[in-house]
């Protein structure tokens, strides 16, 4: 309640301000025939400095109404439309006349003559060019060296949200291009945070439709919103980057360097960074005060490239090659305390785990990707190779208590090891799709992937386990492992839709399309395990014949089907499209598995055959520029064979005392039938529309035969033994709902997204049926309101889940309930060039509870409360001061509070004019209370984990930002131009 009152208090000035604003409205028509002009741009400026106040794109009848205009200020209204001469009129609003109706504005055809001077100066910031929304940087008052991100923040209707996403009149932008192509890695920030205003000709927003979809209805339904930054012709080459050196207390030092170069056909990037903190964890326990255990060391070097083979981009006619090389290394230490509570039928076990870890790694990777598109054909090939080397050392102690009072067992574990891993990936696809009323005609698609990896690992483990309630379980072992593993996986999928033409030639077979499809997966895994144990008599390591083995597994999963499909399609141009698609796929699934091993009991071969058909009925109705309705009804089936580790696992009672696994050679293959119904509604009427709505409802029913689950038994010392069993059958019903809507009220943008699902089912156990229920939901609410020179945003996010599932533990069927809730509300304020501030409150709750015939212990619960406040002050000009404070209050699984405050601050200065140099001073964890706390629950366990974070240190950084866009000779003129 206090948070809500505080937020309302902050919003009060905005509400009061909104009550003292004016508006102007009217209609735009053609003076020749009086027809309404849709998509005309109406813009309101300040007369004194031509600063943009607001704009609007006219609707169907040429209507417009611009609100939230300032009073007692000289303004003028400018109206523009492609092919017509512009119109302008001076207006003045005050408390007597806060509303002006311009009635009907008639635009005359453009005769090529110059417009009035005021109109020439007032370039429309936003226009509609057909179906494309175009933003003109010349119409927005802003220093030309400012980047696109600052430019977009000054365009009404465009919102840059706290999570860095971007919306245009409420519609989310999903792709960003520069000159019609991805810019370097394709990320938003790479383009909008680096490209300056003076390099941009215009910014376009449009819907990109994928013609490689199977049906015309899918093309209309699955279009995505794209933003394209079109550079000026002379600016289509240049470079930008960042070079930083840093040093600080705690023996910390490092730096980074990045440089990106580009022209019309080539992008090349280099980046490198390194950071070392010698006393990362501060004053840790004396036993851990080892230099190697108190260090954070991370570095990386990489290059990327992208080469286009055509200078002019084309969405469906282009070829490109891109890839990169990266090498990195790190050496990090951590100290962790973890508490886990396990609820059993008549008792509970609590594990207290304390330990530290030191890890080192060195990694290299190289990748390349080739893509080609030509009309209705596309081809791609991807190749990747990576190699990693690493080592790890850990030391920990685990103490287990029964019912919070009786010590059941304790163990001490020490391990160290090293490993080398190589991975190779090759994948690609080819598509030849016919897009017409008969989409399957001659369509062919092929995709493939090949994966191979091998690894070598050597490790030593020392463990002392002491069972205090049963001395027979006390165990001490000292073991060495040396493992060589290799894995190969291949997948090929083929879909050919031209079988009807091949068999019946010109006969259309009553419009029924016939296709063939096959998906084949092949896998091969080889293990060479060499295990030896320390012999106390000879004081040497002797081979463990129970675990040392050579094993190999070959498996094939192949599904071959005959697809029959009938399409009913009707279209009236510029009105609607309607289609009904009925298809069935008659499939056979072959499962083959061959296991070879020096352990004779794992030499097994299995072959399974299943008939796994699928059927789908889809209806789609698309009202042009209005909405889309989709209905889908389907059935599918599949089978899964048990693995060798479920049938005949390798027993390792000494090393895994806490988790023993017992196989079941009588396990059968699992078979699943799934039925589903999908309903969707999508309403988007173009970028000038102020509202959008999307909804999706899905329902499904799954039937499973011979499901594979585990039955678990805990002993008095906390040890766990798991058995695999088949269930006679299980079934589940699920339903889900997702809605997303966006509204624009005057200047305020409201986005609401909500979703949820419910799943209920049953599983057969030896003691009867066990029932499960799961409920989940999430909601996102975002509000953005522009101020005179800034904006304020309010966001609320929540997700919850409540699951009730049966388990078979200690020969009793129990039901476990897991509940998780997350709530977060944040408020941010941004005044460009002056201040950025934010406040966030987050709440997290977890619980695990079990119910059975002898349940006596309450639910184990955890709670987390986190409050974060941040601000960045940017005045005086070129100076910035920032601070970030987070207060955390965690109630752990054993009901103990864990509180800490993490406070960081920084101060920086940009050297004037070009802003190519910056100096900054930062201090981290000022109060020395940094900890990473994680609470989670699953099944019958709830865990609180506390890891020591980086401790207090100061750091000084000096940065240089080299950049040039276009020719060197014109650079100074761009800097001097501050308004275009």
């Amino acid at each position: 309640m206090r948070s809500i009152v505080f937020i309302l208090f902050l919003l009060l000035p905005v509400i009061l301000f909104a009550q003292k604003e004016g508006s102007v409205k009217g209609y735009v028509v053609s003076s020749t025939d009086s027809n309404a002009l849709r998509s005309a741009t109406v813009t309101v400026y300040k007369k004194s400095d031509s600063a943009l106040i607001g704009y609007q794109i006219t609707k169907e009848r040429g209507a417009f109404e611009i609100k939230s205009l300032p009073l007692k200020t000289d303004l003028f209204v400018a109206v523009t439309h492609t092919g017509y001469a512009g119109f302008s009129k001076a207006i003045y609003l005050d408390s007597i006349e806060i509303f002006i109706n311009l009635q009907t504005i008639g635009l005359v055809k453009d005769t090529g003559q110059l417009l009035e001077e005021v109109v020439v100066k007032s370039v429309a910031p936003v226009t509609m060019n057909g179906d494309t929304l175009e933003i003109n940087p010349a119409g927005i008052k802003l220093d030309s060296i400012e980047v696109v991100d600052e430019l977009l923040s000054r365009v009404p209707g465009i919102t840059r949200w706290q999570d860095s996403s971007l919306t245009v009149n409420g519609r989310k932008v999903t792709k960003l291009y520069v000159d019609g192509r991805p810019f370097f890695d394709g990320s938003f920030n790479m383009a909008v945070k680096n490209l300056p205003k003076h390099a941009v000709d215009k910014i376009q927003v449009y819907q990109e439709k994928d013609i490689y979809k199977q049906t015309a209805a899918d093309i209309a339904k699955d279009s995505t919103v794209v933003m394209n930054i079109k550079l000026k012709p002379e600016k289509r080459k240049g470079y930008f980057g960042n070079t930083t050196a840093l040093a600080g207390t705690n023996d910390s030092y490092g730096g980074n360097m990045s440089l990106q170069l580009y022209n019309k056909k080539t992008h090349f990037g280099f980046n490198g960074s390194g950071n070392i903190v010698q006393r990362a964890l501060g004053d840790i326990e004396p036993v851990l005060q080892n230099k190697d255990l108190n260090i954070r060391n991370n570095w990386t070097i990489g290059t990327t490239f992208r080469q286009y083979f055509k200078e002019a981009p084309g969405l469906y006619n282009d070829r490109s090659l891109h890839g990169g090389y990266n090498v990195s290394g790190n050496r990090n230490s951590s100290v962790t305390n973890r508490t886990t509570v396990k609820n059993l039928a008549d008792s509970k076990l609590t594990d207290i785990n304390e330990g530290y870890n030191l890890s080192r790694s060195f990694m290299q990777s190289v990748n390349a990707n080739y893509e080609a598109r030509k009309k209705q054909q596309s081809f791609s090939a991807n190749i990747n190779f990576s190699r990693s080397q690493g080592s790890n050392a850990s030391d920990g102690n685990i103490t287990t208590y029964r019912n919070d009072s009786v010590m059941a067992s304790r163990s001490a574990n020490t391990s160290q090891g090293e490993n080398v891993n190589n991975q190779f990936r090759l994948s690609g696809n080819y598509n030849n799709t016919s897009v017409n009323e008969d989409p399957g005609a001659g369509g062919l698609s092929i995709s493939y992937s090949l994966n191979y990896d091998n690894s070598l690992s050597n490790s030593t483990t020392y463990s002392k386990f002491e069972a205090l309630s049963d001395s027979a379980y006390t165990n001490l072992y000292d073991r060495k492992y040396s493992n060589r593993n290799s894995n190969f996986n291949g997948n090929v999928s083929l879909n050919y839709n031209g079988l009807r033409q091949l068999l019946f030639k010109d006969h259309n077979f009553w419009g029924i399309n016939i296709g063939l499809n096959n998906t084949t997966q092949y896998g091969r895994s080889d293990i060479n395990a060499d295990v030896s144990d320390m012999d106390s008599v000879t004081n040497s390591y002797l081979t463990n014949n129970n675990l040392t083995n050579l094993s190999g597994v070959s498996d094939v999963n192949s599904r071959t089907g005959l697809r029959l499909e009938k399409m009913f399609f009707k279209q009236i141009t510029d009105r609607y499209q309607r289609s009904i698609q009925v298809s069935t796929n008659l499939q056979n699934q072959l499962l083959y598995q061959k296991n070879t091993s020096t352990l004779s009991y794992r030499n097994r071969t299995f072959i399974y055959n299943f008939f796994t058909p699928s059927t789908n009925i889809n209806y789609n109705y698309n009202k042009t520029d209005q909405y889309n309705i989709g209905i889908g009804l389907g059935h599918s089936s599949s089978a899964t064979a048990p693995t060798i580790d479920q049938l005949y696992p390798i027993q390792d009672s000494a090393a895994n005392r806490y988790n023993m696994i017992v196989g079941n050679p009588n396990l059968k293959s699992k078979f699943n039938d799934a039925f589903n119904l999908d309903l969707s509604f999508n309403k988007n009427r173009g970028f000038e529309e102020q509202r959008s709505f999307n909804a999706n409802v899905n329902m499904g029913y799954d039937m499973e035969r011979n499901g594979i689950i585990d039955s678990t038994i805990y002993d008095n010392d906390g040890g766990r033994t798991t058995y695999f069993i088949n269930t006679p059958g299980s079934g589940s019903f699920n339903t889900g709902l997702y809605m997303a809507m966006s509204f624009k009220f005057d200047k305020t943008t409201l986005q609401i997204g909500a979703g949820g699902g419910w799943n209920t089912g049953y599983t057969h156990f030896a003691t009867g049926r066990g029932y499960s229920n799961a409920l989940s939901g999430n909601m996102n609410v975002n509000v953005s309101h522009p101020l005179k020179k800034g904006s304020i945003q309010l966001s609320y996010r929540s997700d919850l889940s409540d699951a009730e599932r049966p388990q078979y533990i200690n020969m009793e069927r129990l039901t476990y309930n897991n509940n998780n809730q997350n709530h977060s509300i944040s408020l941010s304020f941004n005044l460009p060039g002056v201040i950025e501030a934010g406040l966030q409150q987050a709440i997290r709750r977890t619980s695990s509870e079990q119910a059975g015939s002898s349940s006596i212990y309450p639910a184990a619960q955890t709670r987390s409360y986190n409050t974060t406040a941040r601000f960045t002050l940017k005045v005086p000009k070129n100076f910035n001061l920032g601070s970030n404070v987070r207060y955390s209050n965690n109630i752990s699984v054993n009901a103990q509070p864990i509180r800490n405050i993490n406070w960081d601050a920084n101060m920086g200065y940009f050297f004037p004019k070009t802003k190519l140099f910056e100096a900054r001073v930062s201090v981290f964890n000022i109060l020395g209370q940094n900890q990473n706390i994680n609470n989670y629950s699953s099944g019958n366990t709830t865990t609180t984990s506390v890891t020591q974070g980086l401790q207090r240190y100061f750091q000084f950084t000096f940065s240089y930002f080299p950049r040039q866009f276009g020719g060197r000779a014109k650079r100074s003129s761009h800097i001097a131009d501050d308004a275009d």
Side-chain angles (χ1 to χ4, degrees):
M1 178 60 72
R2 290 181 180 177
S3 298
I4 295 175
V5 173
F6 178 66
I7 292 168
L8 291 176
F9 174 75
L10 292 178
L11 291 176
L12 184 60
V14 179
I15 298 173
L16 294 176
F17 177 78
Q19 295 175 348
K20 298 180 180 180
E21 296 176 335
S23 64
V24 60
K25 73 175 185 178
Y27 295 87
V28 181
V29 301
S30 171
S31 61
T32 304
D33 51 18
S34 297
N35 287 334
L37 292 180
R38 183 180 179 180
S39 300
T41 303
V42 183
T43 313
V44 179
Y45 298 89
K46 269 188 181 181
K47 195 171 184 180
S48 59
D49 57 4
S50 297
L52 174 65
I53 301 297
Y55 81 96
Q56 194 174 106
I57 306 296
T58 58
K59 302 178 183 179
E60 289 89 344
R61 296 187 300 161
F64 68 89
E65 183 176 9
I66 302 178
K67 300 179 181 180
S68 301
L69 300 178
L71 303 182
K72 298 182 179 180
T73 303
D74 290 323
L75 308 172
F76 66 84
V77 180
V79 183
T80 59
H81 192 284
T82 304
Y84 290 84
F87 165 89
S88 68
K89 181 178 178 63
I91 63 173
Y92 184 83
L93 302 170
D94 54 26
S95 57
I96 298 176
E97 188 179 21
I98 64 172
F99 165 76
I100 292 179
N101 187 348
L102 297 178
Q103 303 297 331
T104 301
I105 300 173
L107 298 185
V108 299
K109 289 287 186 179
D110 188 4
T111 61
Q113 298 177 356
L114 293 176
L115 305 179
E116 297 180 25
E117 182 182 359
V118 68
V119 178
V120 174
K121 290 182 178 179
S122 306
V123 179
V126 179
T127 58
M128 287 297 299
N129 186 358
D131 293 331
T132 300
L133 184 76
E134 293 187 342
I135 301 167
N136 190 343
I140 300 171
K141 187 175 179 60
L142 182 70
D143 286 352
S144 63
I145 62 173
E146 296 291 351
V147 295
V148 171
D149 197 29
E150 288 291 329
L151 176 70
L152 295 175
S153 69
R154 285 164 167 77
V155 179
I158 294 185
T159 305
R160 187 87 150 127
W161 297 96
Q162 298 178 51
D163 61 359
S164 295
S165 63
L166 191 69
T167 59
V168 179
N169 286 338
R171 302 190 62 184
K172 187 174 182 178
V173 177
T174 55
K175 292 182 180 179
L176 189 140
Y177 295 148
V178 174
D179 286 330
R181 290 165 165 165
F183 193 61
F184 289 95
D185 60 2
S187 67
F188 280 31
N189 285 342
M190 179 64 75
V192 302
K193 294 288 188 181
N194 290 287
L195 294 175
K197 175 189 174 185
H198 69 72
V200 180
D201 179 33
K202 64 180 67 175
I203 301 174
Q204 302 167 317
V205 184
Y206 55 88
Q207 292 188 94
E208 181 181 79
K209 300 179 180 181
D210 190 351
I211 68 168
Y212 299 103
K213 293 291 184 181
Q214 287 295 310
T215 67
D218 287 336
I219 293 173
K221 181 174 63 177
D222 293 338
S223 60
T224 58
V225 178
V226 175
M227 176 173 286
N228 177 49
I229 301 174
K230 186 177 180 181
L231 300 179
K232 297 176 180 177
E234 70 274 13
K235 303 293 185 179
R236 291 174 183 170
K237 64 177 180 179
Y239 63 82
F240 56 89
N242 175 21
T243 300
T244 299
L246 58 91
T249 59
N250 283 16
D251 296 329
S252 63
Y253 51 91
N256 65 74
M257 177 180 178
S258 67
L259 183 65
Q260 286 75 37
L261 302 95
Y262 71 94
N263 59 28
K264 296 178 182 179
K265 296 174 61 176
T266 305
H267 297 164
F268 177 81
F270 168 82
N271 66 85
S273 65
N275 191 11
I276 297 177
V277 182
Q278 295 283 10
R279 289 171 47 80
L281 305 182
D283 295 326
I284 56 178
E285 294 296 326
V287 70
L288 302 179
Q289 287 183 354
N290 179 295
K291 183 178 180 180
D292 285 340
L293 296 177
N294 198 5
I295 192 170
R296 297 285 173 91
N297 180 352
N298 301 276
W299 62 271
T300 181
I301 298 174
T303 61
T304 61
F305 75 92
R306 185 183 292 269
Q307 177 68 45
Y308 293 100
F309 295 92
K310 292 189 175 183
E311 184 171 308
L315 181 60
Y316 302 117
N317 191 1
D318 207 354
R319 292 183 298 133
S320 67
L321 175 68
H322 63 87
Y325 171 77
N326 189 77
V327 56
S328 62
N330 68 70
R331 183 171 62 174
N332 292 308
S333 55
S334 64
V335 178
T336 303
N337 297 307
R338 183 178 294 110
T339 301
T340 301
V341 173
K342 307 169 187 175
N343 284 321
L344 307 181
D346 56 354
S347 62
K348 73 174 182 178
L349 298 173
T350 302
D351 293 341
I352 308 297
N353 188 333
E354 300 175 338
Y356 65 85
N357 182 79
L358 171 68
S359 63
R360 296 182 177 90
S361 68
F362 176 78
M363 294 169 284
Q364 300 179 81
S365 66
V366 59
N367 66 88
N369 173 269
Y370 175 78
E371 295 179 343
R373 285 189 171 193
K374 186 175 183 180
K375 295 183 179 179
Q376 296 168 355
Q377 298 185 68
S378 67
F379 172 81
S380 71
N382 308 276
I383 187 170
N384 176 278
F385 174 78
S386 63
R387 177 181 175 86
S388 63
Q389 298 170 263
S391 64
N392 187 82
S394 63
D395 196 349
N397 299 287
I398 302 175
T399 305
T400 301
Y401 294 89
R402 178 175 293 276
N403 302 334
D404 291 332
S405 57
V406 180
M407 187 181 295
S409 64
R410 59 191 176 199
S411 66
N413 304 281
T414 301
S415 67
Q416 56 184 6
E418 56 186 17
N419 62 82
V420 178
N421 182 267
N422 299 293
Q423 295 183 337
F424 175 79
R425 303 284 184 266
L426 177 65
S427 62
N429 63 74
Y430 169 79
N431 287 286
N432 186 355
T433 305
S434 175
V435 182
N436 48 42
E437 288 78 2
D438 187 11
L444 173 66
S445 64
I446 302 173
S447 64
Y448 63 91
S449 65
L450 302 174
N451 305 317
Y452 174 77
D453 64 82
N454 62 65
S455 62
L456 169 64
S457 63
N458 295 288
S459 62
T460 301
T461 300
Y462 174 85
S463 177
K464 180 181 180 181
F465 177 83
E466 185 179 3
L468 302 179
S469 60
D470 189 346
S471 60
Y473 284 140
T474 301
N475 188 38
L476 172 67
Y477 76 92
D478 185 348
R479 174 170 294 172
K480 282 187 175 182
Y481 296 89
S482 180
N483 296 322
R484 291 179 179 272
N485 302 328
S486 65
N487 297 280
F488 173 81
N489 293 283
N491 180 82
V492 177
S493 295
L494 183 144
N495 187 19
Y496 175 61
N497 290 322
L499 191 60
R500 183 190 69 191
Q501 292 81 354
L502 188 66
L503 296 177
F504 301 98
K505 298 187 182 301
D506 296 332
H507 193 284
N508 70 355
F509 197 62
W510 303 284
I512 300 175
N513 189 58
I514 306 175
L516 285 175
N517 57 86
N518 174 268
T519 299
T520 299
Q521 299 172 328
Y522 171 76
R524 173 69 187 182
S525 298
D526 292 288
I527 300 174
N528 182 348
D530 187 0
V531 183
S532 57
D533 293 317
M534 172 64 71
D535 180 68
S536 59
V537 178
T538 62
N539 198 31
S540 61
Y541 287 98
L542 301 180
T543 299
N544 185 320
N545 294 318
N546 292 324
L547 301 180
T548 299
N549 72 97
L550 295 172
S551 298
V553 179
S554 298
D555 60 81
V556 176
N557 184 352
S558 180
R559 302 183 71 166
T560 302
L562 178 69
R563 181 182 177 89
L564 305 175
E565 179 182 276
K566 172 69 175 178
M567 171 76 78
F568 304 90
F569 184 84
K570 184 176 181 180
Q571 177 179 0
I572 297 180
T573 303
D574 295 330
R575 291 185 60 187
Y576 70 84
Q577 296 175 345
R578 182 171 58 203
S579 67
I580 300 177
Q581 183 184 39
V582 182
S583 64
T584 184
N585 196 9
L586 307 177
Q587 292 184 112
N588 180 76
Q589 184 175 7
L590 169 68
L591 298 176
Y592 171 83
Q593 185 182 111
K594 182 177 181 180
N595 301 275
T596 59
S597 176
T598 54
L599 301 175
S600 59
Y601 63 88
R602 287 170 64 91
N603 287 309
R604 297 289 188 274
T605 300
F606 308 97
I607 300 177
Y608 308 92
N609 268 292
F610 301 93
F611 180 56
T612 56
S614 64
T615 301
N616 292 279
I617 302 175
N618 295 295
Y619 169 81
N620 186 272
Y621 179 84
N622 181 265
K623 186 72 177 289
T624 304
D625 292 331
Q626 296 289 325
Y627 58 84
N628 183 278
I629 297 175
I631 303 174
L633 180 65
H635 162 260
S636 62
S637 54
S638 62
T640 305
T643 66
I644 189 65
D645 290 321
Q646 293 172 327
L647 299 167
Y648 302 96
I650 298 176
Q651 301 293 335
D652 190 1
S653 59
N656 212 349
R657 172 67 188 82
Y658 270 94
N659 187 16
M660 285 288 297
I661 297 178
V662 178
N664 182 355
N666 298 315
L667 287 176
K668 300 177 181 178
S669 293
K670 178 179 71 174
F671 192 88
N672 180 268
D673 279 295
F675 303 87
N676 62 81
L677 172 65
D678 291 301
L679 307 172
S680 65
F681 178 82
N682 184 313
K683 183 179 180 181
N684 286 310
R685 300 181 59 186
F687 301 110
E688 70 274 20
E689 181 62 32
Q690 304 292 308
R691 302 178 183 181
S692 65
F693 177 77
N694 301 284
N696 181 269
V697 179
N698 59 78
M699 292 178 285
Y701 181 73
D702 291 352
M703 293 190 304
E704 187 178 271
R705 301 192 300 272
N706 299 322
I708 301 175
I709 63 171
D710 57 73
S711 173
T712 304
I713 293 179
Y714 287 90
D715 59 30
N716 291 331
D717 305 306
R720 181 174 68 178
T721 303
T722 300
Y723 302 84
F724 293 104
I725 60 174
N726 278 122
T727 63
S730 64
S732 66
F733 171 80
N734 62 82
T735 182
L737 169 67
Y738 176 77
M739 294 187 300
M741 59 194 78
S742 177
F743 304 93
K744 194 166 185 295
F745 305 100
D746 191 12
K747 294 183 179 181
T748 302
T749 300
L750 171 65
Q751 288 186 322
I752 301 176
W758 176 59
N759 182 288
T760 182
Y762 65 88
T763 302
H764 283 287
F765 292 91
T767 56
R769 271 191 178 188
Y771 293 91
S772 64
N773 289 282
L775 180 67
S776 63
N778 63 81
M779 175 176 284
N780 297 321
V781 179
N782 299 304
V783 182
S784 178
H785 180 80
L787 305 176
K788 282 187 176 181
K789 293 185 179 181
S791 66
I792 187 169
Q793 291 186 8
L794 175 68
S795 296
Y796 170 74
R797 286 174 169 76
S798 70
D799 63 81
L800 61 90
S801 64
D802 190 90
E804 184 182 80
R805 295 185 176 89
Q807 285 184 291
Y808 202 50
I809 293 180
N810 289 357
M811 307 303 292
E812 182 177 352
R813 176 171 52 83
L814 304 174
T815 299
Y816 284 91
N817 181 276
N818 296 115
N819 182 279
N820 295 275
Q821 297 183 35
N822 293 280
H823 302 274
S824 173
I825 186 168
S826 61
L827 181 69
S828 67
F829 171 74
N830 180 26
L831 191 60
V834 180
I835 189 173
E836 295 178 6
L839 180 66
Q840 182 183 59
Q841 175 67 56
I843 301 173
R844 175 179 173 84
R845 177 184 178 274
T846 69
S847 71
S848 175
E849 183 178 15
Q850 64 90 14
S853 61
S854 54
S855 302
I856 60 175
Y857 285 91
Q861 297 185 2
T862 67
R863 295 184 299 277
S864 300
Y865 306 92
N866 294 286
T867 303
T868 303
R870 60 175 176 80
F871 82 89
T872 302
L873 185 65
K874 298 182 178 181
V875 290
K877 191 175 182 180
N878 301 319
F879 172 85
N880 59 79
L881 175 67
S883 180
N884 188 86
V885 180
R886 187 192 67 185
Y887 171 72
S888 177
N889 183 14
N890 293 270
I891 309 301
S892 67
V893 69
N894 55 7
Q896 297 298 315
I898 305 174
R899 301 184 180 94
N900 62 70
I901 299 176
N902 188 21
W903 181 17
D904 302 332
N906 64 84
M907 180 175 62
Y909 177 74
F910 271 106
F911 290 82
K913 295 184 178 180
T914 61
K915 293 188 176 181
L916 296 181
F917 298 93
E918 183 198 30
R920 180 174 297 275
V921 178
S922 305
V923 56
F924 301 94
N925 191 22
I926 296 174
L927 302 180
Q929 300 179 16
N930 188 22
Q931 290 179 316
N932 300 312
I933 302 169
N934 189 21
N935 294 312
Y936 52 92
S937 65
S938 177
N940 66 325
T941 65
T942 304
T943 300
T944 295
S945 174
V946 181
T947 302
Q948 189 70 36
L950 285 171
Q951 296 305 292
R952 182 193 307 117
Y953 67 100
F954 294 82
Q955 201 167 75
F956 173 80
T957 62
F958 184 80
S959 302
Y960 168 59
F961 302 91
R963 55 191 60 228
Q964 180 176 309
F965 302 92
R968 181 181 299 273
K970 298 182 180 181
R971 178 179 170 190
S972 59
S973 62
H974 296 146
I975 296 173
D977 179 15
D978 64 354
D980 276 354

